[in-house]
Amino acid sequence: HVRNGRRAAAGAGGRRHGRRVWCDGCYDMVHYGHSNQLRQARAMGDYLIVGVHTDEEIAKHKGPPVFTQEERYKMVQAIKWVDEIAPGAPYVTTLETLDKYSCDFCVHGDDITLTIDGKDTYEEVKTAGRYRECKRTQGVSTTDLVGRMLLMTKAHHSNIDEDLDYRKHTDNFGKGPKGHSPWTGVSQFLQTSQKIIQFASGKEPQPGDTIIYVAGAFDLFHVGHVDFLEKVHQLAEKPYIIAGLHFDQEVNRYKGKNYPIMNIHERTLSVLACRVSGGLCSSRHCLEPTAVHLCSSCKSSLVTLVCHGMTEVVPDKDGSDPYEEPKQRGIFQLVDSGSNLTTDLIVQRIIKNRLEFEARNQKKEAKELAVLEAMRRLEEEKH
């Protein structure tokens, strides 16, 4: 993170990047909701700096984080709309922090963030008029993802009717005895073509680009995926990476249980938010790299390299090797990401700390409900 530190120091003395915008948060289990908030924040200015809290700060105010601070720093830096990260940002946003990084204002979603004492972490900057708000992305939260892991339901998969277990989960997970918070609560996500357009790079492969195809589930898009894509990106002078995402039913066939934790729509946005991904195809044929030539996003492209990580290559339904043709053509390459983090390991972390996570969500919800009640009383007093 020396590079980021130097950029922060260089930027602290003046406003060399036009309107400088500040965002901060835990960014634990980074999902497309986080990415969408940062996309909206970046659109409000010219340069986006994202402060990421330490493990110690998160544990104090919120509960145990799923990822380590180093993992979270890397995940946030990999999001395409982030210009710079500020490691170890304080949990409470102050004018001093905004001034340190020469930021004009900070941006947060229209939910509420509270300290351990139940105070609004943005109170100071709001009072000073240096606070902007963007719309919170509905239908996704760390709470929801944790709930999917614990309940082992498949109701979040595409093309599967919602079942009673998942309905019960959305009603009760992390819910305190006095009601349901609109911020911590879970809501359904409706995928739209507009959201895909907002996340996509819009860049087509150019003459001279090396078209590299990778396929996988990319579930709970994490540091291991980022490390892999970055290593693939280094394989060519002008790389253009096309990621093929397997459909939910295909992932469930070879992973079992209730995998994938994120459905195809959610995984699509997660991959598109990564700065090194070029194109993307979501197809039931993504397990077969030969079919990439028929994919609408790749019709004009000739794939010259097909890469896979060091994880096991699962045979296709008929027992054949999905990479047989690229291997025969001599364009297949195994890539070692250097990371041992997998989706399975993330789920194991969650299960291990299950009681702590449930307690964290209930405390968080209780604080939010207390704020809602206080706001309601203030409104009543005005009238």
Side-chain angles (χ1 to χ4, degrees):
H1 305 296
V2 174
R3 176 171 59 91
N4 295 323
R6 284 176 182 163
R7 288 166 70 183
R15 300 167 184 251
R16 298 190 302 157
H17 298 282
R19 295 178 66 183
R20 293 165 66 90
V21 182
W22 173 269
C23 284
D24 56 27
C26 305
Y27 298 102
D28 196 22
M29 288 181 65
V30 173
H31 49 67
Y32 67 88
H34 294 123
S35 300
N36 195 39
Q37 182 233 344
L38 296 176
R39 179 190 66 81
Q40 293 178 82
R42 181 64 173 77
M44 295 183 190
D46 305 292
Y47 193 81
L48 177 62
I49 302 175
V50 181
V52 186
H53 310 319
T54 63
D55 295 344
E56 185 180 5
E57 280 279 88
I58 297 172
K60 175 184 174 183
H61 292 281
K62 198 171 181 181
V66 179
F67 290 102
T68 68
Q69 59 198 40
E70 292 300 322
E71 289 169 338
R72 290 182 291 105
Y73 296 157
K74 177 171 277 192
M75 281 300 297
V76 175
Q77 186 65 68
I79 295 172
K80 65 171 69 172
W81 298 286
V82 176
D83 294 298
E84 182 180 322
I85 67 164
Y91 199 81
V92 176
T93 310
T94 63
L95 295 173
E96 181 183 0
T97 299
L98 296 189
D99 291 340
K100 177 182 177 182
Y101 291 92
S102 298
C103 290
D104 298 89
F105 54 86
C106 74
V107 177
H108 188 67
D110 54 5
D111 54 335
I112 192 165
T113 307
L114 305 171
T115 66
I116 191 172
D117 303 319
K119 295 179 181 178
D120 184 352
T121 58
Y122 294 97
E123 184 178 350
E124 183 177 321
V125 291
K126 284 179 179 178
T127 303
R130 292 172 68 181
Y131 176 85
R132 303 286 186 277
E133 207 162 75
C134 63
K135 191 167 180 59
R136 182 182 182 274
T137 306
Q138 293 297 310
V140 65
S141 69
T142 303
T143 302
D144 188 15
L145 296 177
V146 170
R148 294 180 192 180
M149 296 177 207
L150 298 180
L151 287 165
M152 297 295 290
T153 175
K154 295 182 186 179
H156 56 279
H157 292 176
S158 59
N159 303 323
I160 292 182
D161 292 333
E162 183 181 51
D163 64 24
L164 293 177
D165 286 340
Y166 192 65
R167 183 69 263 157
K168 184 178 178 181
H169 152 55
T170 58
D171 287 342
N172 293 324
F173 187 76
K175 180 178 175 182
K178 294 186 179 180
H180 186 81
S181 165
W183 298 306
T184 294
V186 181
S187 58
Q188 294 297 91
F189 170 62
L190 180 64
Q191 175 75 315
T192 64
S193 57
Q194 179 62 28
K195 189 63 65 186
I196 293 286
I197 293 168
Q198 288 171 341
F199 271 55
S201 66
K203 296 178 182 177
E204 295 294 325
Q206 301 300 310
D209 284 355
T210 300
I211 312 298
I212 307 174
Y213 180 73
V214 297
F218 293 100
D219 194 17
L220 291 178
F221 195 76
H222 54 70
V223 176
H225 296 131
V226 171
D227 286 337
F228 170 69
L229 290 174
E230 287 182 347
K231 285 290 175 65
V232 170
H233 196 263
Q234 294 167 8
L235 294 177
E237 187 176 337
K238 294 178 62 182
Y240 187 93
I241 300 174
I242 295 174
L245 267 67
H246 304 155
F247 274 169
D248 295 344
Q249 286 68 36
E250 179 63 17
V251 176
N252 191 250
R253 178 188 71 81
Y254 64 78
K255 287 280 288 182
K257 298 181 182 177
N258 69 327
Y259 288 107
I261 304 301
M262 284 182 165
N263 63 43
I264 185 69
H265 308 306
E266 297 167 328
R267 292 183 284 119
T268 295
L269 294 179
S270 295
V271 174
L272 284 175
C274 183
R275 69 173 73 250
V276 297
S277 64
L280 183 140
C281 59
S282 301
S283 165
R284 67 177 70 256
H285 302 295
C286 281
L287 198 60
E288 307 163 30
T290 53
V292 73
H293 301 290
L294 305 177
C295 175
S296 60
S297 65
C298 321
K299 274 183 179 177
S300 61
S301 310
L302 177 64
V303 174
T304 52
L305 188 61
V306 175
C307 294
H308 185 80
M310 304 307 288
T311 55
E312 178 189 5
V313 175
V314 182
D316 208 345
K317 288 180 182 178
D318 60 3
S320 63
D321 181 355
Y323 293 110
E324 183 177 355
E325 182 171 323
K327 284 179 179 177
Q328 290 177 349
R329 290 169 55 194
I331 62 170
F332 178 78
Q333 185 170 335
L334 286 174
V335 176
D336 188 351
S337 70
S339 172
N340 63 357
L341 188 63
T342 63
T343 303
D344 288 329
L345 286 176
I346 294 169
V347 174
Q348 286 173 28
R349 292 183 190 183
I350 296 288
I351 300 299
K352 182 181 177 182
N353 295 317
R354 173 174 182 166
L355 294 178
E356 284 188 77
F357 280 111
E358 289 179 342
R360 179 190 77 172
N361 288 325
Q362 289 191 1
K363 286 179 182 177
K364 182 171 181 281
E365 187 122 7
K367 284 192 290 186
E368 290 170 353
L369 287 169
V371 170
L372 274 177
E373 178 63 20
M375 290 167 63
R376 185 185 65 78
R377 286 178 181 171
L378 279 174
E379 284 298 314
E380 287 180 352
E381 288 172 6
K382 288 179 183 177
H383 301 293

